[in-house]
Amino acid sequence: MTKNPFARAVPAALLGAALSVSTFAPPALADIKDYRFELLQQEAKVGEAVIAVRLVDQRNGKPVTDAVVFAKRLDMAPDAMEEMATKVEQVPSTEPGVYRFKAKLSMQGRWRLSLAAKIQGETGTVEDRLVLQAAR
């Protein structure tokens, strides 16, 4: 009686494939701490100002597009005047990963921009606080 030479090879190959699939780990997702906002300019003029920030994936340095920025606050907390706050309005941007905000900086000093964003495909919220200088 002759046995088929593939009779042992096929089950062994299937077992090997099953083991390699079961030990395969999907690529690790980013941690929300892998993202940060960066000011494009450290200084703005007193009065009506447009503040531009870039949201960056720190793992590869690339800008993050299509994030939803939902928490925005601008105050003078760095100069011990947290109650001195102003409205922040998001305005359109033409650069990928750059988010622009219009605000009225009423006086010279350091202003803290607090931001929060959701990134598509990630769980959690990116939160950051950036300090810029308002000058005449």
Side-chain angles (χ1 to χ4, degrees), residues 28 45 73 112 116 126:
K45 294 220 179 243
R73 178 178 165 85
R112 176 181 67 186
V126 176

Side-chain angles (χ1 to χ4, degrees), residues 1 3-4 7 10 28 42 49 54-55 63 77 86 92 100 110 123 129:
M1 177 173 179
K3 284 195 166 185
N4 183 342
V10 171
Q42 303 297 315
R54 178 176 290 122
L55 182 55
T86 189
R100 296 186 185 282
R110 293 176 298 159
T123 57
R129 293 178 175 184

Side-chain angles (χ1 to χ4, degrees), residues 69-92:
V69 180
F70 61 90
K72 314 171 258 311
R73 178 178 165 85
L74 187 60
D75 60 43
M76 292 194 75
D79 284 345
M81 293 185 282
E82 191 168 355
E83 68 282 351
M84 177 69 89
T86 189
K87 292 182 181 179
V88 180
E89 177 187 344
Q90 191 165 351
V91 294

Side-chain angles (χ1 to χ4, degrees), residues 59-114:
R59 297 168 301 155
N60 57 24
K62 292 183 180 179
V64 177
T65 58
D66 300 326
V68 177
V69 180
F70 61 90
K72 314 171 258 311
R73 178 178 165 85
L74 187 60
D75 60 43
M76 292 194 75
D79 284 345
M81 293 185 282
E82 191 168 355
E83 68 282 351
M84 177 69 89
T86 189
K87 292 182 181 179
V88 180
E89 177 187 344
Q90 191 165 351
V91 294
S93 177
T94 57
E95 298 175 66
V98 173
Y99 301 86
R100 296 186 185 282
F101 306 95
K102 184 169 73 171
K104 183 172 183 175
L105 304 175
S106 57
M107 64 186 293
Q108 288 179 258
R110 293 176 298 159
W111 290 81
R112 176 181 67 186
L113 177 62
S114 300

Side-chain angles (χ1 to χ4, degrees), residues 27-77:
L29 294 177
D31 187 283
I32 208 68
K33 294 175 185 154
D34 290 331
Y35 300 94
R36 75 167 188 273
F37 283 100
E38 300 173 338
L39 280 171
L40 295 186
Q41 295 177 321
Q42 303 297 315
E43 193 170 292
K45 294 220 179 243
V46 171
E48 292 292 325
V50 175
I51 303 163
V53 300
R54 178 176 290 122
L55 182 55
V56 177
D57 182 337
Q58 297 181 92
R59 297 168 301 155
N60 57 24
K62 292 183 180 179
V64 177
T65 58
D66 300 326
V68 177
V69 180
F70 61 90
K72 314 171 258 311
R73 178 178 165 85
L74 187 60
D75 60 43
M76 292 194 75

